[in-house]
Amino acid sequence: MTSEYSRTSSVAVSGSRRVAIIAVHGVADQRLGDTAQTLAELLVAQTPNNADYAPGIIDDVILQVPPIEPLASRTQASITGAIRKARKYFRQSLGSDFVRHDHATTNDKRALRGNGPLTPGADFTDYLLNRAKQNHMPADTYTVPRVSLNRSAAGVSRKVDIYEMYWADLSRLSGKVPRILTELFTLLFRLSTLGRDTVQAAAAEYHDKPSWTWLSRLQTALDWAYSRLLALLFLQLVMLASVFVPLGLVSDQTALVHRILAVVLGAGALLGIAYLWRRFIVAAASGLALGVILWKCAGAAPEIIGVVWLIVLSIIYDNWLKICAERFRLVRTVGWMLWGPLLLVLAAQAWMHMSSDMTMWVTAALRGVEYVLVAMAIWWIVAGVLLPGWMVAGILAGRHGFHARASVATGRLALVVSLGFFLALAMSAWALASKGLTQAIKSFAYDPEIFKVACSVGQKCISHADEFLNDRFAASTSMFSLIAVLLLCLVAYLLITFVPSVLSELKATKDKSERLGRWLTNGYRWLDFGIAIVVFTGVLCSLIVGLQFLSSGMHMHWPVLPDMLRGVVDRWRMLSSNLLDLMVYTAASATLAFSGIGGWLSRHVPALRAPLDAALDVDNHFREFPSRAIPRARIFSRYVALLTHVSRQGYDRIVVVSHSQGTVISAELFRYMKERAAINPNDAVGMIWKNIRNKLRLFTAGSPLRQLYAARFPVMYDWVLRENQADVMGPLPGDVGVDVWVNAYATGDYVGRWIWSRGANPKADNICSQIDSGPHGQQKYEPEFGLPVKPFTSPIALDVCLGAGAHTHYFDKDNGKVAPKVAALVDALVMS
């Protein structure tokens, strides 16, 4: 049951008709109340269609937000036993339960379309709602900003209440780690998972095509190997550096560190026992005894310090794995399968190199580094075999129509961007830390066990730890920089495509509407071709990386590379090292700027952050974690609570004004409510839909439904590109349960422009013809309507070009020629 109360007294109703406007923001870094206030200021300032909007009262309504009950409540059978649970978690790490029959981990995969009462998108919403229920998502409250206005025109007065559907606080993943880490985490790993899920969904549709079976298997294997193995192997290097750096720095102060450690552990034991059991005498005695024992064990100082430090690091490591495991199944298990043996290696190597200072631990950690690098070499050798097969399977799978090609392109883009940027970031971090690492251990002698360099005339042998790390850094980064160059080429292409739009958004240039639109369209048309080139070159690089790892100093009795090729590789190593030094500070600065102060940039300079925010919003829309706070389940529950409140107020019309990701949220929710009400009209959701169905009008601006969601997730959003009328491709208003749907766009909007277009050309069934072709057969880059705008008659689906511009500022009251048009369109919907 939804309940609410108002913080202020109600406003007297003017006139006989009342209208509610629900404003849904786009970028997920808005502040509560900004969107409703901005829309109200637009209507008041512009006097649209010769109507006067008198300033009213701003107040709040507090709603109770219970979780939405799913249509089909599915409860998975409890699984007991360590082996069965491990098998379950392993299957879940290979793909979402959504693609399985009855959403059960133990069942086989299914085709998403035609396999249930709901379409794939609505079924996915119900699946997330069911997961939220299984994990006991709590009820919540929501303070709704409301702006009350009075519309007057031709002697007729009408009350207009603007409510804000705010969802930014439910979208960004933060929790226990800083925002910069969560955003990097999302971009580096979740994009790869989205690509895997997209390929798996398409593979279910093409289950009779062998190429799709192999593509799905290879995509899943590469995603799993990347997110569960390669990333964790890099984490092992971080852990080992956390062993030899601090212990190397305090090596000559072993006695002092030992004394400090005795005091700290004794005090810790005292406080811990006192807090847990409230036995202060026992706590004091235990803490004192532990401190004295450690103080007196001076002869075992290096062993004690090393063991205690490993315990502390392992606790930190386990807590980080717990955070990761909330997002990715099996990460904690695989993490300990790697770190556990390394701990044994560290203990054995320390015992073999026993010393009176910390040299034993430094040597042990460096031995561990060698073993991890060998594991990474094996990873790249295997990847070098899988990646060409994945590339060929993608080419063959893409021959089966638009859905096939679009899904293959999404899988390529997601895996290459995730893996490539992860490698670039890891190498940049290594480059930043390399000087500090080598400085901490430069005084330690070290003879590599695996990565030996044969001593020859004029060639210096490795005899110190810093020389070993420098040699490994040069060898490991030689080919990774080539991958970074490929990524820079992709980024440069995107910058060239988007820069005119960004400049237009910053009002730094006055582009013509048509020129700006055509530039962006041509950029999108060649994007997938550019991605294919990057992928193909990246696959070749992976083969070279595997060979390079085999020949980069490992002690072998046969040459892996010919002498001529070895010379080319050596020259590239030097060039690559210099290039990486130039790249690292730029990458670090950009990462800090766009993630560290991301919220400020999104609010005050949205043009700089909009592409990144769009990627984060897409991830947020599909995310299945945290299990008790799934974003879509929380956002939809809040939205339904607001619709419930509005439906009880007796409004004659409900106009939803949405922007960017808010358009996807609104369309998805209305589509889900419509389909669910058709199945069960008497449940809570069905009754709400019955009350609001004939009152709804939808206004979207900068909607990514077509050129982002339908283009990249075609199986889930096939309804957006459906051939619904003669020579018209796009959704019917009835698909989302409304009679009037007006979509406005700027020609340089890189997130979303038109929704409807000409029909598909059977001879040119490709992304260009279906995504980038303009409305009704021509690319519509010039405004075609005048003011005032008359009320719309239903049913109607209308694209409106606003002229030059980009993705933000649709509702700004001082946005040149755009503001009067947007205000007139919203007012026309109010009067429809």
Side-chain angles (χ1 to χ4, degrees):
M1 195 70 172
T2 303
S3 61
E4 64 279 323
Y5 63 92
S6 175
R7 286 184 178 175
T8 67
S9 59
S10 59
V11 182
V13 178
S14 299
S16 59
R17 291 175 63 89
R18 302 167 64 230
V19 177
I21 297 178
I22 299 178
V24 190
H25 67 85
V27 177
D29 277 305
Q30 300 281 335
R31 289 176 177 168
L32 180 64
D34 282 356
T35 307
Q37 184 171 341
T38 299
L39 186 58
E41 291 175 354
L42 174 68
L43 293 174
V44 171
Q46 295 297 328
T47 61
N49 303 323
N50 301 317
D52 178 57
Y53 280 83
I57 296 176
I58 299 177
D59 63 356
D60 295 330
V61 177
I62 301 180
L63 304 180
Q64 183 184 16
V65 183
I68 301 176
E69 286 289 325
L71 175 66
S73 183
R74 300 177 176 91
T75 302
Q76 292 199 29
S78 59
I79 297 178
T80 59
I83 296 179
R84 290 185 176 181
K85 286 184 178 180
R87 186 183 305 165
K88 172 187 174 181
Y89 293 156
F90 178 71
R91 287 174 66 89
Q92 289 180 336
S93 72
L94 296 176
S96 171
D97 287 341
F98 173 66
V99 298
R100 303 184 187 279
H101 287 285
D102 294 325
H103 303 161
T105 308
T106 54
N107 291 344
D108 295 330
K109 294 182 179 179
R110 64 188 176 101
L112 299 187
R113 288 182 292 197
N115 204 332
L118 300 174
T119 57
D123 191 24
F124 188 64
T125 295
D126 203 65
Y127 163 73
L128 294 180
L129 293 176
N130 190 66
R131 279 183 60 90
K133 178 182 179 181
Q134 290 177 347
N135 292 281
H136 310 290
M137 187 179 83
D140 200 359
T141 58
Y142 171 50
T143 301
V144 188
R146 179 175 62 183
V147 182
S148 298
L149 304 175
N150 289 314
R151 182 190 187 277
S152 300
V156 178
S157 181
R158 178 176 299 186
K159 179 181 178 183
V160 178
D161 290 334
I162 303 177
Y163 296 85
E164 180 171 314
M165 173 52 215
Y166 182 73
W167 53 271
D169 58 322
L170 306 178
S171 63
R172 289 292 182 260
L173 178 64
S174 57
K176 303 176 183 177
V177 292
R179 172 178 176 140
I180 182 174
L181 293 180
T182 58
E183 290 193 354
L184 287 174
F185 181 89
T186 297
L187 291 175
L188 295 179
F189 301 110
R190 276 291 300 166
L191 289 182
S192 177
T193 301
L194 285 176
R196 178 204 67 189
D197 292 344
T198 301
V199 169
Q200 288 184 354
E205 300 300 311
Y206 300 101
H207 58 86
D208 57 336
K209 310 294 184 183
S211 59
W212 269 103
T213 301
W214 281 106
L215 177 63
S216 178
R217 290 174 179 174
L218 289 171
Q219 185 92 32
T220 301
L222 288 168
D223 171 76
W224 197 95
Y226 158 54
S227 60
R228 270 79 176 181
L229 288 178
L230 184 63
L232 288 172
L233 286 173
F234 272 98
L235 183 58
Q236 307 313 303
L237 293 178
V238 174
M239 295 296 294
L240 292 170
S242 300
V243 175
F244 65 72
V245 170
L247 297 186
L249 290 173
V250 301
S251 180
D252 56 350
Q253 299 292 332
T254 304
L256 176 61
V257 174
H258 179 261
R259 304 303 185 193
I260 295 174
L261 185 65
V263 174
V264 170
L265 289 180
L270 188 154
L271 294 175
I273 296 174
Y275 177 78
L276 292 174
W277 291 293
R278 301 292 191 274
R279 304 194 176 204
F280 298 100
I281 296 177
V282 175
S286 301
L288 180 62
L290 179 61
V292 170
I293 291 173
L294 292 176
W295 188 283
K296 294 297 184 180
C297 293
E303 296 92 319
I304 293 176
I305 294 173
V307 170
V308 170
W309 185 236
L310 288 177
I311 293 173
V312 171
L313 286 178
S314 296
I315 293 173
I316 298 172
Y317 177 77
D318 188 62
N319 279 277
W320 174 251
L321 290 182
K322 286 180 181 179
I323 296 173
C324 297
E326 292 178 0
R327 284 87 175 154
F328 297 92
R329 281 292 195 192
L330 220 66
V331 167
R332 190 181 182 196
T333 302
V334 177
W336 274 105
M337 289 175 65
L338 296 174
W339 181 239
L342 271 178
L343 286 176
L344 297 178
V345 168
L346 289 173
Q349 290 290 332
W351 180 77
M352 292 170 60
H353 299 85
M354 191 71 67
S355 63
S356 59
D357 57 13
M358 296 300 171
T359 304
M360 55 190 290
W361 293 108
V362 173
T363 301
L366 291 175
R367 285 283 190 265
V369 169
E370 292 196 66
Y371 299 148
V372 172
L373 290 177
V374 170
M376 293 175 67
I378 295 173
W379 191 96
W380 274 107
I381 294 168
V382 175
V385 175
L386 295 180
L387 284 169
W390 169 71
M391 184 70 184
V392 172
I395 294 173
L396 297 176
R399 299 179 304 169
H400 302 293
F402 165 73
H403 285 79
R405 278 190 294 277
S407 299
V408 169
T410 300
R412 287 176 180 170
L413 177 66
L415 181 62
V416 169
V417 169
S418 292
L419 178 57
F421 275 102
F422 172 79
L423 293 174
L425 184 65
M427 293 303 101
S428 298
W430 191 345
L432 278 173
S434 60
K435 293 184 178 179
L437 294 177
T438 55
Q439 187 69 23
I441 58 173
K442 68 177 184 179
S443 61
F444 291 84
Y446 183 72
D447 179 26
E449 181 179 19
I450 301 175
F451 294 92
K452 295 181 179 292
V453 177
C455 298
S456 60
V457 178
Q459 184 179 19
K460 183 180 179 181
C461 296
I462 291 179
S463 59
H464 285 81
D466 59 329
E467 295 172 352
F468 165 73
L469 283 184
N470 286 330
D471 179 75
R472 288 300 87 215
F473 172 76
S476 300
T477 59
S478 58
M479 291 303 163
F480 288 130
S481 292
L482 179 57
I483 295 175
V485 169
L486 292 174
L487 288 173
L488 286 178
C489 292
L490 180 59
V491 171
Y493 178 87
L494 294 175
L495 287 176
I496 292 172
T497 301
F498 293 152
V499 159
S501 297
V502 172
L503 291 177
S504 178
E505 197 155 52
L506 294 173
K507 301 178 181 179
T509 182
K510 293 183 179 179
D511 275 315
K512 290 184 178 180
S513 178
E514 182 176 358
R515 183 172 62 182
L516 182 62
R518 290 190 182 280
W519 180 271
L520 185 61
T521 296
N522 290 330
Y524 276 133
R525 285 189 170 183
W526 289 98
L527 176 61
D528 286 321
F529 179 72
I531 292 171
I533 293 176
V534 170
V535 170
F536 179 76
T537 311
V539 169
L540 293 179
C541 289
S542 69
L543 293 172
I544 299 174
V545 168
L547 294 174
Q548 170 67 9
F549 265 119
L550 284 175
S551 63
S552 61
M554 295 179 67
H555 185 60
M556 295 182 176
H557 297 290
W558 63 89
V560 178
L561 295 178
D563 292 338
M564 181 178 297
L565 184 56
R566 189 186 299 275
V568 173
V569 169
D570 289 340
R571 285 192 293 273
W572 177 260
R573 285 175 57 175
M574 182 168 294
L575 176 62
S576 181
S577 179
N578 295 333
L579 177 63
L580 188 61
D581 288 339
L582 293 175
M583 291 171 51
V584 62
Y585 297 107
T586 303
S589 301
T591 299
L592 289 174
F594 284 94
S595 295
I597 56 174
W600 185 88
L601 286 172
S602 293
R603 288 189 294 271
H604 300 287
V605 196
L608 296 180
R609 275 269 310 195
L612 175 60
D613 285 325
L616 294 170
D617 288 342
V618 171
D619 167 63
N620 165 74
H621 193 61
F622 290 106
R623 197 189 306 154
E624 301 180 27
F625 58 83
S627 56
R628 296 186 74 247
I630 297 173
R632 192 189 296 200
R634 298 181 71 192
I635 292 171
F636 280 17
S637 295
R638 178 179 290 183
Y639 209 148
V640 168
L642 176 56
L643 291 173
T644 302
H645 167 75
V646 170
S647 69
R648 292 174 177 172
Q649 306 308 305
Y651 291 103
D652 300 287
R653 181 74 66 235
I654 301 173
V655 180
V656 175
V657 179
S658 55
H659 172 242
S660 188
Q661 182 66 15
T663 70
V664 178
I665 292 171
S666 299
E668 284 274 27
L669 177 61
F670 295 163
R671 186 171 173 81
Y672 172 71
M673 295 178 72
K674 165 186 168 291
E675 293 187 21
R676 177 166 171 167
I679 299 170
N680 191 353
N682 296 319
D683 70 358
V685 174
M687 294 301 294
I688 296 170
W689 185 252
K690 180 181 178 180
N691 292 335
I692 67 174
R693 163 67 181 88
N694 295 322
K695 302 177 180 180
L696 273 178
R697 302 290 185 266
L698 179 61
F699 177 83
T700 57
S703 175
L705 271 171
R706 184 185 184 93
Q707 72 183 41
L708 198 162
Y709 280 88
R712 297 301 165 196
F713 311 103
V715 174
M716 300 287 283
Y717 289 88
D718 63 324
W719 60 276
V720 178
L721 295 176
R722 187 179 302 145
E723 193 90 32
N724 284 316
Q725 301 173 7
D727 200 37
V728 175
M729 174 177 287
L732 294 172
D735 288 338
V736 295
V738 300
D739 293 326
V740 177
W741 184 353
V742 177
N743 177 67
Y745 64 91
T747 59
D749 192 328
Y750 40 80
V751 173
R753 293 186 288 179
W754 47 77
I755 290 181
W756 295 275
S757 75
R758 65 174 176 81
N761 182 356
K763 296 181 180 180
D765 180 27
N766 55 43
I767 293 178
C768 296
S769 66
Q770 299 201 43
I771 301 297
D772 291 323
S773 290
H776 306 290
Q778 295 183 358
Q779 294 157 349
K780 191 176 179 182
Y781 297 129
E782 297 292 344
E784 295 181 358
F785 74 100
L787 301 177
V789 178
K790 295 181 180 180
F792 298 101
T793 57
S794 59
I796 188 172
L798 179 65
D799 272 316
V800 178
C801 177
L802 301 175
H807 186 58
T808 60
H809 306 301
Y810 277 99
F811 303 133
D812 289 1
K813 63 180 183 295
D814 56 351
N815 187 15
K817 298 179 181 179
V818 172
K821 299 171 186 176
V822 173
L825 291 170
V826 173
D827 180 73
L829 289 170
V830 168
M831 297 301 296
S832 298

